[in-house]
Amino acid sequence: MSDRQVRIGIDVGGTHTKAVAIDNTTHEIIGKSSVKTTHDDKAGVAAGVVQAFQNCLVDNDIRPEEVIFVAHSTTQATNALVEGDVAKVGIVGVAGGGLEGLLAKKQLKIADIDIAAGKVIQIFNTFIKKKELTDEKIKEELNSLKGQGAQVMVASMAFGVDDSEQEKRIKHIAKEMELPSTAAADITKLYGLTRRTRTAAINASILPKMLNTATSTEQSVRQAGVQVPLMIMRGDGGVMEINEVKKRPILTMLSGPAASVMGSLIYLRASNGIYFEVGGTTTNIGVIKNGRPAIDYSIVGGHKTYISSLDVRVLGCAGGSMVRLNKSGVIDVGPRSAHIAGLDYAVYTDSKEIVEPELELFSPKPGDPADYVAVRLKNGKRITITNSCAANVLGLVDPEYFSYGDAEAARKAMAPVAAYLGVSVEELAAQIMERSYRKIEPIILELAEKYKVETEQISLVGVGGGAAALIVYFAKKMGVQYSIPENAEVISSIGVALAMVRDVVERIIPNPSANDIRNIKLEAINKAIESGATPDSVDVHIEIDSQTSKVTAIALGSTEVKTGDLMSECSEKEAREIAAKDFGEQVKDIKLLTANEHFYVYSGVKENKNPIRILDKKGFIKVQRTDGDAVTVKVKEYQDAVRNYYENIATYNADSILRPDYYICVGGKVVDFNGTNDLDQILMLMDIEVSILDEEDEILLVGARNQL
């Protein structure tokens, strides 16, 4: 009998649904399976999830009892909204009387929500004064909404953030009437009555469809003999237990891109970077900052919701994007892809087939411009030219990468196109790559600016099968480092298999006290446990926005069995070499500032700055900053060191002062305190973190200067 433990991650892509089985202890991939994504099946994409899962077990001799974790990403929520496959929503609004009630009634009345071209979420509204809120009145209004056509209900009350009992009461009565329902307080505890009600309505609109999908998927996994909880990828990079999905399906929006990011983080040594998920048709671009993906509120129908998801830019320029041209040269690459046009890439075509190639310009779909490139061969077959073709011709794709193909085949196919333009094949390839670069480079810089990724620390992380087709050229043009993680073509499935449970609690708390912070931290821990995390594994990061008074608690935890370590420990010499490479050649006099049993902190000299890196003992760079200092200090003395940095690592200009960011290394974790610039709040948050330590215990304190 084998005692191995297996984690299975399944990623639902636009074309393929891929499953990966990973050894829980070693993180070694022990099996893969891929099937066509089942968009047209009566069970939707769930059919492909189940098929990929079952194939992965059978093809790789994995017994059901060996499986200790199963999770999948899902396109269901996103597709339902894009395609308009949504339920009609009835909203029961509740508020007090007087002027307050009049204002709330207006804010609670939600118009139909535009979600796609010609597609809407149809909304029906009713309103009950709080003093008239009896069970009979609630049933009467729910029946009225049902009679108008509402299929699922939302309960939303003014100040329901502070007291959600009446929302829950309406939800309970709806359940007794066998009506699916959502309470706004179940989705968010932030103020903003219209926004929180609209967010709850969007969640409700996809609730029936997601309930059916979740139930059928769960049943199929159980029938396969696997009894561990089925986890689903969230759009913010975590996973949650399927029963939570049945309540809050909206949290799964953009879970596909989230999967690829979390997979990247498993292999990524650097804590900051711009990641590319490059498929055949689209490229998803986002930011990894301080070891976490950049998160923002999702926008649906032009309206911001209160649902956090990865802040991703999606461009129709990827590995399989086709070339557009006129006599002056390449005018665009994409948005149509070879896949959409039903054509093979030249670079993946047998070069013996490419005989007497002739250029054709065509329109891939009705209404498209007729300037896309196809190449007709002597045998009548038509193929096309893509970014992958150009990258291989320029020698940018090494054989180990998924994008590697037959460069000679690509050259032969590109020859008539180059002749049409009066350039060499290599010049044509350079034009193709340059045109793609011009489309994507502004997005990289925009995201770097938004999330304050210091220019010196921009590194590109390529994932997805088409990564090498773009990232090598882009990195050289920008003069930055790049990496393509191992197993990049199935990185999303790996990300799902190794994802952590994640949950977020947000509150508006002016001048939060230490007790407020402890309470919100405890609430985040409890939500993570409800979502499937083991209690002793949950860690919480607190952010305080002094301008908006928003306090955010982000909880991360592992499932029933904690995964093993991906890499063995590195020596101080090896860690120094990793830091030196990341610093770059311009940083001199690299030295170890301080260390403990879990971390090394290195610094160097570059002009008038002291770049700083925190590395863990596995060689992963946890923090990258352009200027800073670090010290080992006893707990009883750390506040004095923080105050010293507060003054001496500040950046002063004519009309403002930029205070430093702080990091402390406590045990085996790095805790950052970048959510606030208020010294008292920083010290309060630090006190909570170090309260479990003795006064004589030592911590590593890092102060990082913020740049103008």
Side-chain angles (χ1 to χ4, degrees):
M1 290 286 292
S2 168
D3 60 355
R4 71 174 175 177
Q5 296 171 322
V6 179
R7 301 175 72 89
I8 294 182
I10 307 162
D11 177 61
V12 182
T15 305
H16 291 96
T17 295
K18 299 178 180 179
V20 169
I22 295 178
D23 186 288
N24 186 61
T25 303
T26 66
H27 287 184
E28 176 189 0
I29 294 177
I30 57 179
K32 301 177 185 178
S33 173
S34 178
V35 301
K36 288 281 188 180
T37 298
T38 53
H39 295 292
D40 299 325
D41 192 277
K42 64 180 181 180
V45 298
V49 170
V50 172
Q51 186 181 348
F53 168 72
Q54 292 175 331
N55 290 353
C56 199
L57 293 185
V58 173
D59 294 347
N60 299 289
D61 296 321
I62 298 169
R63 299 196 315 278
E65 59 268 25
E66 293 178 314
V67 178
I68 54 96
F69 179 91
V70 183
H72 72 85
S73 69
T74 176
T75 60
Q76 202 83 17
T78 304
N79 288 350
L81 292 169
V82 169
E83 296 165 9
D85 188 9
V86 292
K88 297 175 182 179
V89 178
I91 297 177
V92 181
V94 180
L99 179 60
E100 174 190 298
L102 287 173
L103 292 172
K105 184 176 181 179
K106 184 177 180 181
Q107 293 173 333
L108 284 162
K109 189 172 183 179
I110 305 298
D112 291 350
I113 301 171
D114 294 323
I115 51 175
K119 309 282 187 178
V120 299
I121 300 172
Q122 195 169 350
I123 307 290
F124 305 95
N125 294 274
T126 192
F127 178 79
I128 307 174
K129 290 183 179 179
K130 191 174 180 181
K131 64 181 181 181
E132 300 173 357
L133 199 66
T134 64
D135 288 2
E136 290 72 21
K137 182 65 173 176
I138 293 169
K139 290 176 183 177
E140 178 187 333
E141 296 301 333
L142 288 172
N143 275 319
S144 174
L145 291 170
K146 181 180 177 182
Q148 295 174 63
Q151 299 163 300
V152 59
M153 305 299 172
V154 168
S156 184
M157 187 178 78
F159 302 106
V161 168
D162 303 317
D163 182 2
S164 61
E165 286 306 308
Q166 300 306 326
E167 291 184 1
K168 292 178 180 177
R169 178 184 174 191
I170 295 169
K171 181 180 175 182
H172 177 72
I173 292 173
K175 183 179 180 181
E176 289 181 336
M177 297 171 65
E178 298 184 349
L179 292 170
S181 61
T182 292
D186 289 341
I187 308 301
T188 178
K189 295 291 181 65
L190 289 178
Y191 293 109
L193 188 53
T194 298
R195 187 164 164 185
R196 67 189 287 266
T197 305
R198 184 185 294 114
T199 303
I202 295 168
N203 183 75
S205 75
I206 59 176
L207 193 58
K209 186 177 184 68
M210 291 294 288
L211 277 171
N212 290 336
T213 300
T215 301
S216 64
T217 307
E218 185 177 33
Q219 288 174 347
S220 297
V221 170
R222 295 288 168 265
Q223 288 168 4
V226 175
Q227 298 303 316
V228 296
L230 177 61
M231 311 296 288
I232 312 295
M233 198 81 190
R234 294 164 52 121
D236 59 11
V239 290
M240 59 183 178
E241 210 270 333
I242 197 164
N243 287 328
E244 286 299 303
V245 178
K246 294 174 182 178
K247 292 187 254 179
R248 299 180 288 165
I250 196 173
L251 298 183
T252 66
M253 288 198 306
L254 289 177
S255 69
S260 67
V261 178
M262 303 319 292
S264 301
L265 291 175
I266 301 298
Y267 294 94
L268 181 66
R269 284 195 181 274
S271 59
N272 297 329
I274 307 292
Y275 68 84
F276 289 64
E277 182 189 17
V278 186
T281 303
T282 59
T283 294
N284 299 322
I285 305 175
V287 169
I288 296 167
K289 180 72 181 290
N290 296 328
R292 295 190 294 271
I295 304 289
D296 202 353
Y297 291 125
S298 299
I299 296 175
V300 177
H303 300 289
K304 269 202 169 185
T305 70
Y306 275 137
I307 297 303
S308 296
S309 64
L310 266 73
D311 190 4
V312 175
R313 305 291 188 273
V314 182
L315 284 86
C317 183
S321 295
M322 296 188 296
V323 175
R324 296 174 55 199
L325 57 77
N326 59 27
K327 269 293 187 182
S328 65
V330 176
I331 58 173
D332 203 357
V333 182
R336 294 299 190 194
S337 67
H339 171 70
I340 296 297
L343 302 179
D344 291 339
Y345 302 20
V347 74
Y348 304 132
T349 301
D350 188 337
S351 62
K352 294 177 182 177
E353 276 193 83
I354 305 177
V355 178
E356 299 179 13
E358 294 182 1
L359 168 65
E360 290 185 0
L361 297 179
F362 78 113
S363 176
K365 295 288 183 182
D368 288 346
D371 55 11
Y372 282 88
V373 169
V375 176
R376 184 173 293 278
L377 308 180
K378 183 179 180 181
N379 61 10
K381 181 178 179 180
R382 295 166 75 236
I383 59 177
T384 192
I385 309 300
T386 66
N387 275 320
S388 295
C389 301
N392 275 274
V393 164
L394 294 175
L396 300 175
V397 186
D398 290 337
E400 69 263 28
Y401 295 136
F402 196 75
S403 297
Y404 184 76
D406 187 341
E408 184 54 36
R411 284 192 184 91
K412 289 170 68 175
M414 290 167 65
V417 185
Y420 175 80
L421 297 177
V423 299
S424 69
V425 169
E426 284 70 23
E427 287 171 331
L428 170 60
Q431 280 191 35
I432 294 169
M433 298 306 298
E434 183 63 22
R435 182 60 66 177
S436 297
Y437 175 75
R438 288 185 204 171
K439 292 178 72 171
I440 294 178
E441 189 236 15
I443 304 300
I444 297 172
L445 297 179
E446 174 200 335
L447 286 167
E449 172 67 22
K450 178 177 180 179
Y451 291 102
K452 296 181 171 55
V453 178
E454 295 162 0
T455 306
E456 298 170 1
Q457 292 165 22
I458 294 178
S459 63
L460 307 183
V461 183
V463 298
L470 296 180
I471 197 171
V472 181
Y473 184 88
F474 287 15
K476 288 182 178 179
K477 284 283 292 187
M478 296 184 73
V480 300
Q481 297 183 53
Y482 76 90
S483 61
I484 300 176
E486 186 181 356
N487 298 305
E489 74 281 2
V490 290
I491 204 76
S492 295
S493 300
I494 294 171
V496 176
L498 299 178
M500 303 278 279
V501 174
R502 187 182 197 275
D503 226 310
V504 179
V505 175
E506 297 175 304
R507 293 284 186 280
I508 302 299
I509 310 176
N511 303 312
S513 65
N515 194 50
D516 290 328
I517 299 300
R518 290 189 186 94
N519 287 338
I520 194 172
K521 185 173 182 179
L522 180 61
E523 185 175 352
I525 290 171
N526 288 335
K527 286 180 76 69
I529 293 170
E530 288 176 11
S531 292
T534 54
D536 59 351
S537 72
V538 181
D539 185 32
V540 180
H541 170 69
I542 302 289
E543 297 176 355
I544 301 175
D545 188 325
S546 302
Q547 291 184 328
T548 63
S549 298
K550 185 174 77 170
V551 181
T552 303
I554 304 169
L556 280 175
S558 60
T559 50
E560 192 61 37
V561 180
K562 192 171 182 179
T563 59
D565 291 320
L566 184 66
M567 296 183 179
S568 58
E569 287 196 4
C570 60
S571 66
E572 193 277 322
K573 179 182 177 182
E574 290 169 330
R576 184 189 297 264
E577 290 172 352
I578 293 168
K581 181 179 179 181
D582 192 66
F583 277 132
E585 295 179 356
Q586 294 181 324
V587 177
K588 308 299 181 184
D589 301 326
I590 296 169
K591 62 180 179 181
L592 180 66
L593 278 183
T594 186
N596 64 15
E597 61 180 314
H598 299 288
F599 299 100
Y600 302 108
V601 184
Y602 292 95
S603 181
V605 177
K606 182 179 180 182
E607 299 172 349
N608 297 321
K609 299 175 182 177
N610 298 112
I612 201 161
R613 301 290 187 269
I614 303 177
L615 279 73
D616 68 14
K617 291 297 176 78
K618 304 293 183 184
F620 283 82
I621 302 172
K622 311 300 287 186
V623 173
Q624 300 162 284
R625 297 302 296 260
T626 298
D627 195 11
D629 192 22
V631 65
T632 297
V633 62
K634 291 184 177 180
V635 169
K636 66 181 181 182
E637 299 165 348
Y638 90 90
Q639 290 196 1
D640 290 337
V642 171
R643 291 189 179 95
N644 176 53
Y645 282 162
Y646 193 75
E647 298 299 332
N648 295 331
I649 308 184
T651 301
Y652 297 86
N653 61 20
D655 54 4
S656 65
I657 303 174
L658 292 177
R659 297 298 180 181
D661 291 332
Y662 295 94
Y663 307 84
I664 59 173
C665 300
V666 181
K669 65 180 181 178
V670 177
V671 186
D672 71 66
F673 301 90
N674 302 342
T676 177
N677 291 320
D678 183 276
L679 180 59
D680 290 336
Q681 288 183 344
I682 292 168
L683 291 173
M684 176 182 66
L685 292 173
M686 288 185 175
D687 279 344
I688 292 172
E689 289 295 335
V690 303
S691 61
I692 60 173
L693 304 177
D694 294 331
E695 285 193 342
E696 294 297 320
D697 288 341
E698 292 184 334
I699 60 174
L700 303 186
L701 173 68
V702 176
R705 190 186 305 274
N706 280 304
Q707 307 299 308
L708 292 174

